[in-house]
PDB file of all heavy atoms in Angstrom:
ATOM      1  N   ILE L  81      13.518  -0.825 -13.214  1.00  0.00           N
ATOM      2  CA  ILE L  81      12.041  -0.852 -13.331  1.00  0.00           C
ATOM      3  C   ILE L  81      11.594  -1.874 -14.350  1.00  0.00           C
ATOM      4  O   ILE L  81      11.961  -1.827 -15.520  1.00  0.00           O
ATOM      5  CB  ILE L  81      11.488   0.538 -13.736  1.00  0.00           C
ATOM      6  CG1 ILE L  81      11.944   1.613 -12.763  1.00  0.00           C
ATOM      7  CG2 ILE L  81       9.997   0.495 -13.910  1.00  0.00           C
ATOM      8  CD1 ILE L  81      11.438   1.491 -11.365  1.00  0.00           C
ATOM      9  N   GLY L  82      10.828  -2.837 -13.916  1.00  0.00           N
ATOM     10  CA  GLY L  82      10.347  -3.853 -14.798  1.00  0.00           C
ATOM     11  C   GLY L  82       8.842  -3.717 -15.091  1.00  0.00           C
ATOM     12  O   GLY L  82       8.278  -2.647 -14.769  1.00  0.00           O
ATOM     13  N   PRO L  83       8.199  -4.701 -15.724  1.00  0.00           N
ATOM     14  CA  PRO L  83       6.775  -4.522 -16.076  1.00  0.00           C
ATOM     15  C   PRO L  83       5.897  -4.298 -14.841  1.00  0.00           C
ATOM     16  O   PRO L  83       4.907  -3.549 -14.911  1.00  0.00           O
ATOM     17  CB  PRO L  83       6.462  -5.844 -16.702  1.00  0.00           C
ATOM     18  CG  PRO L  83       7.768  -6.437 -17.180  1.00  0.00           C
ATOM     19  CD  PRO L  83       8.778  -5.898 -16.204  1.00  0.00           C
ATOM     20  N   SER L  84       6.194  -4.980 -13.731  1.00  0.00           N
ATOM     21  CA  SER L  84       5.381  -4.795 -12.503  1.00  0.00           C
ATOM     22  C   SER L  84       5.428  -3.371 -12.027  1.00  0.00           C
ATOM     23  O   SER L  84       4.401  -2.793 -11.678  1.00  0.00           O
ATOM     24  CB  SER L  84       5.735  -5.795 -11.460  1.00  0.00           C
ATOM     25  OG  SER L  84       5.557  -7.066 -11.813  1.00  0.00           O
ATOM     26  N   ALA L  85       6.641  -2.839 -12.009  1.00  0.00           N
ATOM     27  CA  ALA L  85       6.780  -1.448 -11.522  1.00  0.00           C
ATOM     28  C   ALA L  85       6.142  -0.466 -12.536  1.00  0.00           C
ATOM     29  O   ALA L  85       5.544   0.590 -12.114  1.00  0.00           O
ATOM     30  CB  ALA L  85       8.293  -1.135 -11.353  1.00  0.00           C
ATOM     31  N   GLN L  86       6.235  -0.734 -13.800  1.00  0.00           N
ATOM     32  CA  GLN L  86       5.597   0.124 -14.863  1.00  0.00           C
ATOM     33  C   GLN L  86       4.084   0.096 -14.570  1.00  0.00           C
ATOM     34  O   GLN L  86       3.440   1.155 -14.699  1.00  0.00           O
ATOM     35  CB  GLN L  86       5.986  -0.340 -16.238  1.00  0.00           C
ATOM     36  CG  GLN L  86       5.441   0.548 -17.283  1.00  0.00           C
ATOM     37  CD  GLN L  86       5.945   2.002 -17.149  1.00  0.00           C
ATOM     38  OE1 GLN L  86       7.133   2.255 -17.081  1.00  0.00           O
ATOM     39  NE2 GLN L  86       5.034   2.911 -17.074  1.00  0.00           N
ATOM     40  N   HIS L  87       3.527  -1.036 -14.277  1.00  0.00           N
ATOM     41  CA  HIS L  87       2.149  -1.193 -13.999  1.00  0.00           C
ATOM     42  C   HIS L  87       1.744  -0.266 -12.840  1.00  0.00           C
ATOM     43  O   HIS L  87       0.777   0.476 -12.847  1.00  0.00           O
ATOM     44  CB  HIS L  87       1.679  -2.643 -13.729  1.00  0.00           C
ATOM     45  CG  HIS L  87       0.315  -2.778 -13.193  1.00  0.00           C
ATOM     46  ND1 HIS L  87      -0.736  -2.570 -13.962  1.00  0.00           N
ATOM     47  CD2 HIS L  87      -0.132  -3.016 -11.943  1.00  0.00           C
ATOM     48  CE1 HIS L  87      -1.901  -2.743 -13.226  1.00  0.00           C
ATOM     49  NE2 HIS L  87      -1.538  -3.036 -11.988  1.00  0.00           N
ATOM     50  N   VAL L  88       2.490  -0.363 -11.764  1.00  0.00           N
ATOM     51  CA  VAL L  88       2.274   0.514 -10.537  1.00  0.00           C
ATOM     52  C   VAL L  88       2.348   1.971 -10.971  1.00  0.00           C
ATOM     53  O   VAL L  88       1.491   2.785 -10.535  1.00  0.00           O
ATOM     54  CB  VAL L  88       3.266   0.149  -9.419  1.00  0.00           C
ATOM     55  CG1 VAL L  88       3.196   1.178  -8.266  1.00  0.00           C
ATOM     56  CG2 VAL L  88       3.017  -1.206  -8.938  1.00  0.00           C
ATOM     57  N   GLN L  89       3.309   2.327 -11.713  1.00  0.00           N
ATOM     58  CA  GLN L  89       3.447   3.758 -12.166  1.00  0.00           C
ATOM     59  C   GLN L  89       2.242   4.177 -13.043  1.00  0.00           C
ATOM     60  O   GLN L  89       1.777   5.357 -12.886  1.00  0.00           O
ATOM     61  CB  GLN L  89       4.758   3.990 -12.892  1.00  0.00           C
ATOM     62  CG  GLN L  89       5.932   3.862 -12.010  1.00  0.00           C
ATOM     63  CD  GLN L  89       7.270   4.020 -12.726  1.00  0.00           C
ATOM     64  OE1 GLN L  89       7.343   3.567 -13.927  1.00  0.00           O
ATOM     65  NE2 GLN L  89       8.254   4.480 -12.093  1.00  0.00           N
ATOM     66  N   ASP L  90       1.745   3.346 -13.843  1.00  0.00           N
ATOM     67  CA  ASP L  90       0.495   3.640 -14.635  1.00  0.00           C
ATOM     68  C   ASP L  90      -0.724   3.788 -13.745  1.00  0.00           C
ATOM     69  O   ASP L  90      -1.445   4.722 -13.897  1.00  0.00           O
ATOM     70  CB  ASP L  90       0.227   2.524 -15.621  1.00  0.00           C
ATOM     71  CG  ASP L  90       1.313   2.456 -16.740  1.00  0.00           C
ATOM     72  OD1 ASP L  90       2.065   3.385 -16.907  1.00  0.00           O
ATOM     73  OD2 ASP L  90       1.365   1.393 -17.375  1.00  0.00           O
ATOM     74  N   VAL L  91      -0.794   2.972 -12.704  1.00  0.00           N
ATOM     75  CA  VAL L  91      -1.898   3.123 -11.744  1.00  0.00           C
ATOM     76  C   VAL L  91      -1.819   4.417 -10.967  1.00  0.00           C
ATOM     77  O   VAL L  91      -2.791   5.132 -10.725  1.00  0.00           O
ATOM     78  CB  VAL L  91      -1.916   1.863 -10.781  1.00  0.00           C
ATOM     79  CG1 VAL L  91      -2.837   2.171  -9.557  1.00  0.00           C
ATOM     80  CG2 VAL L  91      -2.352   0.585 -11.565  1.00  0.00           C
ATOM     81  N   VAL L  92      -0.551   4.862 -10.567  1.00  0.00           N
ATOM     82  CA  VAL L  92      -0.364   6.059  -9.903  1.00  0.00           C
ATOM     83  C   VAL L  92      -0.755   7.278 -10.787  1.00  0.00           C
ATOM     84  O   VAL L  92      -1.342   8.247 -10.305  1.00  0.00           O
ATOM     85  CB  VAL L  92       1.041   6.182  -9.403  1.00  0.00           C
ATOM     86  CG1 VAL L  92       1.390   7.627  -8.922  1.00  0.00           C
ATOM     87  CG2 VAL L  92       1.285   5.245  -8.249  1.00  0.00           C
TER      88      VAL L  92
END
Side-chain angles (χ1 to χ4, degrees):
I81 301 294
S84 296
Q86 185 59 56
H87 169 72
V88 170
Q89 291 175 328
D90 293 342
V91 168
V92 167

